Amino acid sequence: AALRRVATLVARGLPPAEVLAAVAQEVGSVLGADTTAIVRLDPDGATTVLARIGDHPGELAVGSRWKPEPPLALGVVMRTCRPARCDNFSQARGEYADAVRRLGLRSSVAAPIVVEGRLWGAIAVGTRHERFPAKAEQRMAGFTELIGTAIANAEGRAQLEESRDELRRLAQEQAALRRVATLVAGGAPPEEVFTAVTAEVGRLLEVDFTHLGRYDPDGTATTAGVWNPTGAGPGPGETRWGLGGWNVTTVVFETGQPARIDDYADASGAGAVVGREWGFRSAVGVPISVEGQLWGFMLAAYTHEEPLPVDTEARLARFTELVATAIANAEGSSQLEDSRDELRGLAEEQAALRRVATLVAHGVQPDEIFAAVSDEVGRLVGTDSATVMRFDDDGPGIVFVGVASNMTDAFPLGARWEFQDGMASGEVYRTGRSARGGARDWSTVKGPVGDTHHRLGIVSTVASPIVVEGRLWGAMAVQSQEPLPMDTDERLEKFTELVGTAIANADSKSELAASRRRVITAADDARRRIERDLHDGTQQRLVSLSLALRMAQSTEPSNYSALQSEIGRVADELTGAIEELREISRGIHPAILSEGGLGPALRGLARRAALPVELDIRTDTRPADRTEVAAYYVVSEALTNTTKHSRASYAYVAVEQRDARLRLSIRDDGVGGADPAGGSGLIGLRDRVQALGGSIEVNSPPGGGTAIDVDLPLHPT
């Protein structure tokens, strides 16, 4: 019945104070308590008494604040957020414990009041009798739930009203922003936007004054727009003052950040004087930045003694972005045509690059690409004169390998020019970087360089390097009778990258074809060697043995000793033939490699080597057969070369697995000087390794020994 009466009060939406008083009365009556108190937990950890039922009202009075500590029941609840009881106050300490003892209480029970998951407070009851009955804490829980509901309802109603006010204000702000944005989107002049935005902001924020100003290069500020409810005040450009001192406009200028002054009587400087003339008592200003540069400010002010709301800066800033857009639009209109020309040029450049890239991707021969890129670059730069040159170290000089189609008479394909002073391509050859050649009197220069430049009237040349796989290969150049733009080298470099790729692709194809020819030749040679060894050696021995067996078959049985001797000789010959076959097969594929893997096979190589070999094998994983065979023959060939050519005293071989790769390292302390391009078996090794998708590096300086590093996939595709 008590719970029902309290629930009825809560459902009717009575204020929390009435509900708390009723709950205190009901709980005290139900539990037979001598005193009942309801407290609220404050942010500082103390509690405030909100309701109190019982005698001695001066103790634990409504509004008093306490810090109850365990073992008192209320202290335990504040620590644990769980119901608690205390039947012995002898150990309790503190002012709250003293007040409880003055009331003569001998037992207390308390239960937490939780509102939307947080500890809000507690209800506590006390008795002067022996103790409260069992389950008193549980009986109090029903009442604390009702209290929590009443408090949550009250807080929810307050928040709802605040939310409605906030939504109403937000809708007004969005409408104002939309009206200003419409002006900006419509291309309204900045002056019209300034007038509109100051009025919108003034009415929205309900301030007494809004002001929009511009910072000038001479260290002054000028009014660009102003509004107040009476319509009085200066017009745009009518007020101008120097920056300095402590006032909103100066602080915004110096910091680039929002600023506020809540009492303009303390402000200083010319800006303060102007503000006081307009009646400012408090003001807030925010910066207006256009394309990253501080342009001006927007200011809102009260003329009465009250600081502006704390969110004024944020609300002003939402409008300054629109103002900045209007200013940027106005300033950008004069640049729009320039931007269109730039975009048009960029589109043409991208189209030219795309056409050249398509040729490269299709594997077109470099000669065709040189011609095409010369035409494209000539048209793009607007000179109709563009050339692709290969550097020739003999001389040194350049050889024309690509020329714009309408300039082949001036720059014949295949023509060779030695470098002369003033040639941009010569500077590229020396530095490896783009270079520019200026105007000069080419009539004094002898030879085809001077004749061509003088005849064509060339006064400006730009050349950019063509780099192929890390080495300087040549250059691309454009020539003009007018000074070339400063970004010409950047534009050229976009095309030289494609030319370098085309040359590298062609070189790779040539190297691949040569590698394939070497592999086929090596395979043919190996097959012929095996055929020759089998035909001239093992096959002849086996034929002879076959004839010997036929002869033994015809021997008289009575001549047993001769027959036995002949069969023994045939057996010995068969053993020799088997050894020959083993030697031949060892050159094809070592049996130990198939049976034991790379480690045992390499150890066998090391034992048979003619010089000491140190092995360092750090892998237990067997790679694919092709990788294992390639690794074996790389080490075998490297040790053979070391023995034949290096005059080394020892060799070192290391094998390790790293990620999904097999790494080999072969070192010796010999005379060095090994050249992969000069034979010695290294070309074959490179072909074998590259065929599996691996790489091989040879470092063999004269007198410094030889180092071979090989990287192979464990499982090639």
Side-chain angles (χ1 to χ4, degrees), residues 385 407 410-411 417 437-442 449-462 478-482 484:
S385 178
M407 298 298 291
F411 305 100
W417 287 1
R440 61 168 297 173
D441 184 7
W442 289 101
V449 177
D451 292 344
T452 301
H453 283 70
H454 180 66
R455 175 164 45 86
L456 296 178
I458 294 173
V459 301
S460 182
T461 303
V462 173
V478 290
Q479 302 83 17
S480 175
Q481 298 173 349
E482 301 291 338
L484 288 162

Side-chain angles (χ1 to χ4, degrees), residues 3-44:
L3 285 168
R4 187 165 56 249
R5 288 191 293 271
V6 174
T8 301
L9 296 177
V10 173
R12 287 167 54 191
L14 290 182
E18 294 185 34
V19 175
L20 295 179
V23 168
Q25 186 68 48
E26 295 284 2
V27 170
S29 175
V30 168
L31 297 180
D34 294 308
T35 182
T36 304
I38 298 177
V39 301
R40 180 192 67 220
L41 177 62
D42 296 331
D44 62 355

Side-chain angles (χ1 to χ4, degrees), residues 48-326:
T48 299
V49 179
L50 300 183
R52 162 85 152 78
I53 300 297
D55 52 11
H56 303 291
E59 296 290 352
L60 303 178
V62 173
S64 60
R65 300 181 77 244
W66 307 88
K67 280 197 172 182
E69 299 289 343
L72 294 175
L74 192 56
V76 174
V77 169
M78 292 298 104
R79 293 285 184 87
T80 66
C81 194
R82 293 181 178 178
R85 70 163 54 219
C86 178
D87 296 327
N88 185 352
F89 299 154
S90 62
Q91 301 298 320
R93 298 290 184 268
E95 295 181 356
Y96 180 74
D98 294 341
V100 169
R101 279 191 283 266
R102 285 196 295 271
L103 288 172
L105 302 179
R106 302 184 63 183
S107 177
S108 67
V109 174
I113 298 172
V114 177
V115 178
E116 295 184 345
R118 75 182 191 279
L119 179 62
W120 181 90
I123 182 170
V125 295
T127 179
R128 297 187 182 94
H129 304 292
E130 192 65 29
R131 63 177 60 189
F132 283 104
K135 298 186 179 180
E137 299 96 317
Q138 290 88 336
R139 299 178 69 186
M140 291 173 67
F143 292 94
T144 58
E145 291 179 7
L146 289 171
I147 295 173
T149 301
I151 295 167
N153 289 348
E155 291 179 351
R157 285 193 295 271
Q159 292 172 358
L160 179 60
E161 192 58 37
E162 290 178 2
S163 297
R164 287 172 177 167
D165 292 342
E166 181 65 24
L167 287 172
R168 191 178 303 112
R169 190 180 72 165
L170 181 61
Q172 293 171 349
E173 182 176 295
Q174 292 300 313
L177 285 166
R178 188 164 54 249
R179 289 190 290 269
V180 176
T182 301
L183 284 178
V184 174
E191 295 78 12
E192 184 179 345
V193 175
F194 298 159
T195 300
V197 78
T198 51
E200 292 284 4
V201 169
R203 287 190 290 265
L204 180 69
L205 302 186
E206 298 179 347
V207 295
D208 302 317
F209 199 95
T210 52
H211 180 211
L212 194 149
R214 180 188 70 242
Y215 292 124
D216 298 320
D218 59 357
T220 60
T222 303
T223 298
V226 67
W227 174 91
N228 67 54
T230 65
E238 293 180 5
T239 303
R240 183 185 180 94
W241 65 95
L243 298 171
W246 188 61
N247 53 78
V248 167
T249 54
T250 299
V251 174
V252 170
F253 175 78
E254 292 177 346
T255 66
Q257 300 293 325
R260 81 162 43 221
I261 294 178
D262 291 333
D263 188 353
Y264 241 73
D266 299 330
S268 61
V273 173
V274 171
R276 284 193 287 266
E277 288 177 356
W278 292 341
F280 291 2
R281 302 298 294 273
S282 63
V284 168
V286 296
I288 298 173
S289 295
V290 179
E291 296 182 348
Q293 299 295 320
L294 183 64
W295 180 91
F297 63 90
M298 182 181 288
L299 178 148
Y302 276 163
T303 59
H304 53 278
E305 292 187 9
E306 184 181 346
L308 288 150
V310 294
D311 63 346
T312 302
E313 291 93 333
R315 302 185 73 187
L316 277 176
R318 297 187 186 109
F319 288 87
T320 59
E321 294 179 7
L322 290 170
V323 173
T325 301

